[in-house]
Amino acid sequence: MTDLRTWLERVEGFGELRHVRGAHWDTELGAIAELSYQRPNPKAMLFDDIAGYPSGRVLTGSTGSARRLGLTLGLGDDLDDAGVVAALRGKPSTWAATARDYPTETVAESPLLENVVEGADVDLLSLPVPRWHAGDGGRYIGTGCLVITTDPETKDVNGGCYRMEVVDEGRSATINAVPGKHGAQHIQRWFDRHGRAPVAVSFGHHPVLLVTGGTEVPTGISELEYAGAILGERLPVLLGEHTGLPIPAGSEVAIEGWLRPDLMRDEGPFGEWTGYYSGKRRPAPALEIARMYHRDDPILLGAPPGKPPHDYSYMRTVMKSAMIEDALVGSGVPGVRGAWAHEAGGGRLFIAVSIEHRYAGHARQVGHLAAQLPAAAYMNRYVVVVDDDVDVANLDEVVWAMCTRCDPARDIDIVPGTWGSKLDPMLVEGAPPYNSRAVVDACRPFERREVFPKVSTGDPDYLESVLTKWAEVLAP
């Protein structure tokens, strides 16, 4: 199962797909999606009969529940939140280790070839591209997209999820690749060596490619191969006629073409995952589109960010938490019991780690290590280390530990000059994208562990027995 339509059939089968007909592409579709994310147990939303468009559809909320994320990651479609977290333990490192066992499989036929449009005739606005937020500078076709690039020397393939605004009345789209990410590095190397960079983009695909494109897959591993390891099968691809780049054969819509250093268009602002609009309208590289491919009645995979919770904040929280925990355990540091990249911080800004506190300096060691891991370093703001009696996924418990086991003057380290982002609302216009981060030791002081005041709560086993006895009284 490597295509979006088969995935949708499965989701509809267990009742988590909602059909929406007649919404307008200009902010109404985005508003419906935003309101959906804020509801308990939000559904995936498939928008059809979009105002002004006789064909073309938009999907949102693809990875916003445990069952849908479990299905996407090949873990099963009957898991709850705790089940997904448990099933993910150890998986990121396994997927990374086996990714090269799942090289892409080149094919010659695909429904993506039902419609092939050459560059001069390309009109991205023939598709129902939304303007997601009222303050957006334009219509964004790239939110759940996969931007495919290669290294000009090693030929390593990267797939990244970068925002893309339609420009030039539909003939082009900007690509806002994040500086420091692998895709941006590939593009710059092509510019330096050849004066242009080949790029292919998929706009509708199995959501596993949203997961791999939107999280930090280890350097040297293709997101397409990593997706194959997750699904347990090789990902079929077409080779782009003009660029030779691999394009997922299960894609609904794709384009290929070239970026050039002198081909720039104004882009933004855009409502980003921090919950703020990202700065002013400014130039960004625009794609010279050589060819567009699409299925009949294609589906755009939308993943609009915004103030959490948003389209992919649940997915990022669960995935980043698993990747950080895996990396910490893999580093050899002892006593790591859990990690959680909280959704309130967009899955990046606020990370909690629990440890079995074994020696003086242990909490600081884990905190500083977690703050700079490749899986966690980008735009992290706070790392809080807590004892293993604290549930790292429960923000109330983490804050309680900060309030009762942390002396701000002694137990908070500030690390300046770390990897930030131009999306940071605290960044001064024109300043380099650094940020500082706080490493918070919210563990009981190691030297006072035996005499530290006892927590005034019941014994867990006793509380469980009471819950069983009085289940009817205590039922929700």
Side-chain angles (χ1 to χ4, degrees):
M1 182 189 71
T2 61
D3 69 289
L4 180 58
R5 298 194 188 196
T6 304
W7 182 92
L8 281 169
E9 289 174 4
R10 294 278 298 276
V11 172
E12 185 146 42
F14 57 74
E16 290 202 4
L17 180 65
R18 183 160 293 169
H19 294 268
V20 183
R21 301 187 182 278
H24 201 285
W25 59 265
D26 191 8
T27 70
E28 186 176 39
L29 190 156
I32 294 170
E34 180 180 350
L35 290 169
S36 173
Y37 310 143
Q38 297 169 3
R39 299 292 188 269
N41 306 310
K43 303 292 190 290
M45 314 285 277
L46 183 59
F47 294 87
D48 206 342
D49 297 333
I50 296 169
Y53 286 89
S55 68
R57 296 170 283 172
V58 177
L59 176 67
T60 64
S62 58
T63 58
S65 78
R67 295 191 72 179
R68 299 198 297 280
L69 185 57
L71 170 67
T72 298
L73 298 177
L75 305 174
D77 61 15
D78 57 351
L79 300 174
D80 58 11
D81 292 334
V84 168
V85 173
L88 265 175
R89 284 204 179 92
K91 283 292 194 297
S93 57
T94 299
W95 293 331
T98 60
R100 294 195 184 279
D101 296 335
Y102 295 91
T104 56
E105 180 182 6
T106 301
V107 298
E109 301 295 328
S110 163
L112 184 60
L113 301 176
E114 289 171 347
N115 301 276
V116 178
V117 184
E118 296 301 328
D121 297 319
V122 167
D123 179 10
L124 297 177
L125 294 180
S126 64
L127 303 171
V129 179
R131 185 165 72 104
W132 295 101
H133 318 99
D136 289 350
R139 299 169 69 173
Y140 277 80
I141 190 169
T143 53
C145 61
L146 189 74
V147 178
I148 300 161
T149 59
T150 59
D151 186 292
E153 293 184 353
T154 66
K155 308 305 179 186
D156 287 344
V157 175
N158 185 76
C161 184
Y162 312 124
R163 76 191 204 201
M164 296 182 62
E165 180 182 346
V166 177
V167 294
D168 293 347
E169 299 179 325
R171 295 188 302 278
S172 182
T174 57
I175 298 180
N176 205 321
V178 176
K181 300 282 186 168
H182 298 150
Q185 294 173 19
H186 286 175
I187 291 165
Q188 189 58 53
R189 288 172 191 151
W190 276 95
F191 284 174
D192 293 343
R193 290 162 177 75
H194 304 286
R196 66 175 188 170
V199 176
V201 188
S202 171
F203 295 113
H205 36 250
H206 190 294
V208 73
L209 294 175
L210 170 61
V211 174
T212 60
T215 54
E216 278 74 18
V217 171
T219 301
I221 298 175
S222 165
E223 281 74 6
L224 300 178
E225 294 179 351
Y226 195 82
I230 292 172
L231 297 176
E233 58 181 300
R234 296 170 63 187
L235 198 72
V237 298
L238 298 166
L239 296 183
E241 186 76 21
H242 293 267
T243 62
L245 291 172
I247 300 171
S251 177
E252 297 278 326
V253 183
I255 56 176
E256 62 171 330
W258 303 87
L259 291 176
R260 304 176 188 275
D262 58 349
L263 182 56
M264 307 286 283
R265 294 290 183 270
D266 286 346
E267 185 267 355
F270 181 60
E272 274 288 359
W273 61 268
T274 57
Y276 297 86
Y277 289 101
S278 58
K280 300 176 181 177
R281 194 160 181 81
R282 61 188 61 166
L287 191 67
E288 178 187 326
I289 301 174
R291 180 175 283 181
M292 174 178 175
Y293 310 81
H294 69 87
R295 297 188 64 165
D296 294 336
D297 197 20
I299 303 168
L300 297 175
L301 179 57
K307 180 182 175 182
H310 58 69
D311 189 283
Y312 55 86
S313 57
Y314 176 82
M315 174 275 288
R316 178 180 279 168
T317 286
V318 174
M319 280 295 297
K320 297 292 288 180
S321 301
M323 295 172 85
I324 292 166
E325 183 176 336
D326 255 21
L328 284 171
V329 171
S331 74
V333 65
V336 174
R337 291 293 175 261
W340 199 254
H342 280 270
E343 193 168 4
R348 294 190 184 277
L349 295 163
F350 191 101
I351 297 167
V353 182
S354 66
I355 62 170
E356 179 191 343
H357 208 175
R358 296 188 180 179
Y359 46 85
H362 188 193
R364 288 295 216 289
Q365 178 192 25
V366 170
H368 282 271
L369 184 60
Q372 298 292 1
L373 288 169
Y378 174 62
M379 208 179 165
N380 167 237
R381 189 91 82 198
Y382 299 97
V383 174
V384 182
V385 184
V386 296
D387 294 298
D388 57 1
D389 67 326
V390 174
D391 179 1
V392 288
N394 185 322
L395 195 55
D396 285 343
E397 289 200 22
V398 173
V399 173
W400 169 72
M402 292 172 66
C403 292
T404 60
R405 302 180 184 181
C406 171
D407 177 358
R410 186 191 64 188
D411 295 327
I412 300 178
D413 295 342
I414 306 298
V415 185
T418 55
W419 187 14
S421 171
K422 62 183 179 179
L423 303 181
D424 187 348
M426 291 292 288
L427 187 69
V428 176
E429 183 72 25
Y434 297 118
N435 72 274
S436 62
R437 61 199 57 181
V439 176
V440 182
D441 179 354
C443 295
R444 301 178 186 89
F446 181 75
E447 65 278 11
R448 294 181 58 208
R449 286 187 312 148
E450 299 305 321
V451 298
F452 201 81
K454 301 298 182 185
V455 176
S456 58
T457 186
D459 175 77
D461 291 337
Y462 177 64
L463 291 175
E464 184 64 31
S465 69
V466 172
L467 177 60
T468 301
K469 180 179 180 179
W470 295 93
E472 185 176 344
V473 172
L474 296 170

